[in-house]
Amino acid sequence: MSDIAEIKIDGKVYEFPIITGTEGEKSIDISKLRELTGHITLDLGYKNTGSTKSAITFLDGEKGILKYRGYPIEQLAEKSNFLEVAYLLIYGDLPTEEQIVTFQSKITKQTLIHEDMKKFLDGYPSRAHPMAQLASLVCSLSSFYPESINANSSPEAMDHTIIKLLAKLPTIVSFIYKKGLGHPLIYPKNKFDYVSNYLHMTFGQRTEEVEIDPVVVKAMNTLLILHADHEQNCSASTVRMVGSSDCNLFASVSAGIDALWGPLHGGANQAVIEMLETIKEDGGDTEKWINKAKDKNDPFRMMGFGHRVYKNFDPRAKIIKKACDDILDKLGINDPVLEIAKKLEEAALSDPYFVERKLYPNVDFYSGIIYRALGFPTDMFTVLFALGRLPGWIAQWKEMHTNKEPIGRPRQVYVGHTNREFVEIEQR
Ligand code: SDX
């Protein structure tokens, strides 16, 4: 098979190299396209455009394959834990016993946030969306750790910043949650592992230390692993874009949090539960809502369905759907919206509209049902997505800096006015 692509413009043939990835996917390197031809490409939403070469995550949307650093997501979700997967994504290999103990120890020492950061929480109205608070608090870390602002510092300094962010995010997330409830903040305890500490800070009480259910710990580890990275999705691309200007990690991740908030992206897990609740309140007529999703004149979309890359089942959705049944069963919870979700999925997967467009349940379709079963309010769901995605964002930002990639600056096709003379306001 040729490793050259030819483009013919006005009778002249131009050659461009074909780059083949380690999993066999093909790309045409157009780095010199404008220089050679005076043309640029146009690809709204970058549906066909690769922005980088990455060794972090591989997914095959046609086959429903997802791997972190070569390890299948199914194996990691079943056999690993979130901190180990975070290490894998950021440093490239599964840690040895000594490495994970050191990693956990470094994180344990950094779980507190500056007491002055609590003043930001006092400034928000009680129903402020947690994602708004999360984005600003994460960016504010750069004010308390100014040494982290230099994105091109030494590898040791970069790693110190990475540890700080990994360690402090669970504390920030639980403080936002507790403040929203008007409850006292619960501080981290060094005896807990990463996920247990988060659950302790979230569900613990000032008056007593609540027992942390191992079922809940396992469920949270699984959910966080499944959300840990997803190659060049909207929020990861945002982190890379902002980071490409040599912006610090805290501000780059803060931008990623904002991108994730959108209901077409990470905000879908909140939108799915709101959709299921609406359908339940409306009498549970799934057929009616399937038809609304198909109606081009109706703004309603089946949230949690469809994906830019997966044109087969999202492998994460399969794992989460099974976990959903297991966890609700173990916790003895019967959530009526689960039945509505299953009816919707069954109806959609046999409906030509969804089948022709290869619209399947994605990671967000069932995750909210588990989060709700674990006791989280709906507006915290996307924050939990961010908690899981943090190692992926960090790995993407670190890879971009390590590879010294150029500042991101796409081109455009200008379609505005060509030339106009200024007219004084009296003559307009
Ligand atoms: C995440 O990229 C990632 O990797 C993201 C993510 C990650 O881990 O980072 O996987 C996390 O964001 C998952 C996706 C969560 N979002 C949702 O569940 C929102 C609902 N889904 C859609 O809005 C949509 O499917 C997107 C945004 C996910 C993908 O949109 P695309 O790739 O731009 O596809 P499209 O909008 O061009 O849709 C193609 C067709 C259109 O119909 P036609 O114009 O061809 O007739 O499919 C239709 C769309 O109208 N369609 C839907 C639909 N999704 C697509 N119709 C009804 N309901 C839907 N959910």
Side-chain angles (χ1 to χ4, degrees), residues 342-359:
K342 288 180 174 177
K343 269 176 70 181
L344 268 180
E345 177 188 359
E346 189 182 333
L349 295 184
S350 57
D351 184 297
Y353 173 93
F354 290 85
V355 173
E356 285 157 14
R357 292 167 177 79
K358 298 181 179 177
L359 303 177

Side-chain angles (χ1 to χ4, degrees), residues 47 59 226-227 229-236 260 262-269 271-272 292-294 296 300-311 314 316 353-354 357 359 362-365 385 389:
K47 295 189 176 187
L59 58 93
L226 292 173
H227 287 81
D229 192 55
H230 216 239
E231 54 132 282
Q232 304 312 312
N233 57 83
C234 178
S235 54
L260 187 73
L264 294 185
H265 190 14
N269 58 17
V272 166
K292 281 170 65 69
K294 292 156 60 175
K296 291 301 173 196
F300 173 73
R301 273 207 162 190
M302 185 76 73
M303 301 312 280
F305 255 76
H307 198 277
R308 173 59 59 77
V309 178
Y310 288 124
K311 300 309 174 189
D314 180 335
R316 303 166 297 177
Y353 173 93
F354 290 85
R357 292 167 177 79
L359 303 177
N362 58 50
V363 67
D364 294 309
F365 191 63
F385 193 142
R389 185 53 53 91

